[in-house]
Amino acid sequence: MRPQKAEKTDEVQGLPRITKQRRAIFAALQGDASHPTAEEVYLRVKEELPHISLATVYRNLKLLARQGLIREISTGEGPNRYDFRTHEHAHFQCDRCGRILDVEMGLPRELTRDLERTGFRVRSHELVLHGLCPDCGAASSAD
Amino acid sequence: MRPQKAEKTDEVQGLPRITKQRRAIFAALQGDASHPTAEEVYLRVKEELPHISLATVYRNLKLLARQGLIREISTGEGPNRYDFRTHEHAHFQCDRCGRILDVEMGLPRELTRDLERTGFRVRSHELVLHGLCPDCGAASSAD
DNA sequence: ACCCGATTTGCAAATGCGTCGCAGGTGTTA
DNA sequence: TAACACCTGCGACGCATTTGCAAATCGGGT
């Protein structure tokens, strides 16, 4: 059986392969709650695969995100970040320390339902909150 | 009475002036619900001030946003966009036509209240929804 | 109206982040 | 193992935005 070919008129590329780079990048993300940037993932993976290219890291992070295996976060401030947790949740970026923290917060159904009633089709959403995280909020009070 | 000087240890710059460029940029945004990019604002303002620089447009859009006179939107896809409406509302970006539409949707109080109860201080949030807008949703059904 | 100093502008160069083209390497199926 | 599509590493490129700097401008005080 031949590998599945692109059949749609769309530019669908064939099935992704499991290369050692792709595996290493995915593995580097597992369990890492720090929401690393591509650059940070690159540095980490480099320890295992010293010859890996930054472009490869970018390509694979994008690909893994398209596959839904990881999540891509754009905060509108600095480079994109990546999250191994793919379930619905929001992100909180601290104004002071810049860290991004996961926030278990789903968008109320009724909000999107209202939208869909007016003809929209909601596929996904991205919610980023800004302010002070517990650590920095406390430090700031002390000032 | 002397003009107010920067007194804080922080790098606070003096009071913003009302230059014709700044006024024109702000004016260009008023009533424009299309969420233009800096480039688009630049082209529009250029008609009135042919010698204006793109850098000036960038600088002023950032400044106006810091002043809270306009809102900066980063969709994580392409350049930043600007919105003359500063009240709390979300944005919907259409997967097909790329347009950004305003969505009158506020984040439920209880969600942020829960967060603040765990030590966070929420200053603002940015909510971007993705999917198909009414126009494109209909077109897509026809395919 | 004129001064004066801080802010702003225009310009070009620089930066940051990410993508692309290509030649050679590698995973996967037959 | 052959074949071929997918992938990789590399450097060059692209877009969006920022920055350095000298000249222009704003706006309060005189």
Side-chain angles (χ1 to χ4, degrees):
Chain A
M1 179 187 175
R2 287 235 260 6
Q4 181 185 327
K5 287 246 196 82
E7 320 185 308
K8 309 288 192 178
T9 55
D10 233 324
E11 67 289 84
V12 179
Q13 64 240 51
L15 47 157
R17 291 174 179 173
I18 304 176
T19 63
K20 57 179 183 297
Q21 291 87 342
R22 189 159 297 161
R23 194 203 322 280
I25 289 166
F26 184 65
L29 234 35
Q30 289 316 119
D32 181 347
S34 75
H35 307 88
T37 63
E39 186 80 33
E40 289 165 346
V41 172
Y42 169 63
L43 292 175
R44 213 161 310 159
V45 171
K46 219 167 140 78
E47 295 169 13
E48 187 190 342
L49 302 173
H51 292 305
I52 197 171
S53 156
L54 180 55
T56 296
V57 174
Y58 272 107
R59 276 188 291 238
N60 280 297
L61 287 173
K62 268 274 185 294
L63 181 107
L64 291 169
R66 275 200 304 274
Q67 307 286 122
L69 294 174
I70 62 176
R71 240 178 92 177
E72 188 178 41
I73 312 166
S74 31
T75 61
E77 177 140 332
N80 282 356
R81 297 175 166 277
Y82 295 88
D83 194 339
F84 76 102
R85 303 185 204 180
T86 58
H87 71 284
E88 178 182 10
H89 67 281
H91 292 105
F92 182 97
Q93 181 164 41
C94 181
D95 291 335
R96 173 182 271 224
C97 68
R99 273 188 305 173
I100 293 179
L101 302 166
D102 286 324
V103 172
E104 300 305 325
M105 182 186 278
L107 208 56
R109 273 279 149 279
E110 72 224 48
L111 291 181
T112 61
R113 185 158 9 95
D114 288 353
L115 252 190
E116 307 217 302
R117 205 172 282 140
T118 59
F120 288 87
R121 297 203 204 158
V122 181
R123 180 179 50 75
S124 68
H125 66 266
E126 190 158 355
L127 172 57
V128 182
L129 301 133
H130 300 273
L132 293 176
C133 71
D135 292 353
C136 292
S140 164
S141 303
D143 287 350
Chain B
M1 181 185 176
R2 289 232 258 5
Q4 182 185 328
K5 288 246 194 80
E7 317 185 311
K8 309 288 192 179
T9 55
D10 232 322
E11 67 288 87
V12 179
Q13 64 243 48
L15 45 159
R17 292 174 178 172
I18 304 177
T19 62
K20 58 179 184 298
Q21 292 88 341
R22 190 159 297 159
R23 194 202 323 281
I25 289 165
F26 183 65
L29 234 34
Q30 288 316 119
D32 180 348
S34 76
H35 307 90
T37 63
E39 185 80 34
E40 289 166 346
V41 172
Y42 168 63
L43 292 175
R44 216 162 307 162
V45 171
K46 219 167 140 81
E47 295 170 11
E48 186 189 342
L49 302 173
H51 291 306
I52 197 170
S53 156
L54 180 54
T56 297
V57 174
Y58 272 106
R59 275 188 292 238
N60 280 298
L61 288 172
K62 269 274 185 294
L63 181 107
L64 291 170
R66 274 199 304 274
Q67 307 285 123
L69 294 174
I70 61 174
R71 241 178 91 178
E72 187 178 43
I73 312 166
S74 31
T75 61
E77 176 139 332
N80 282 356
R81 298 175 164 275
Y82 295 88
D83 195 339
F84 75 101
R85 303 185 204 180
T86 58
H87 71 283
E88 177 182 11
H89 66 282
H91 292 106
F92 183 97
Q93 182 165 41
C94 180
D95 292 334
R96 173 182 271 223
C97 68
R99 274 188 305 173
I100 292 179
L101 303 165
D102 284 326
V103 172
E104 299 307 324
M105 181 186 278
L107 209 55
R109 275 282 147 281
E110 71 222 49
L111 291 182
T112 62
R113 188 162 2 98
D114 288 352
L115 251 189
E116 308 217 301
R117 206 171 282 140
T118 59
F120 288 88
R121 297 206 202 156
V122 181
R123 179 179 52 74
S124 68
H125 66 265
E126 190 159 355
L127 172 57
V128 182
L129 301 134
H130 299 273
L132 292 175
C133 72
D135 292 354
C136 292
S140 163
S141 304
D143 288 349

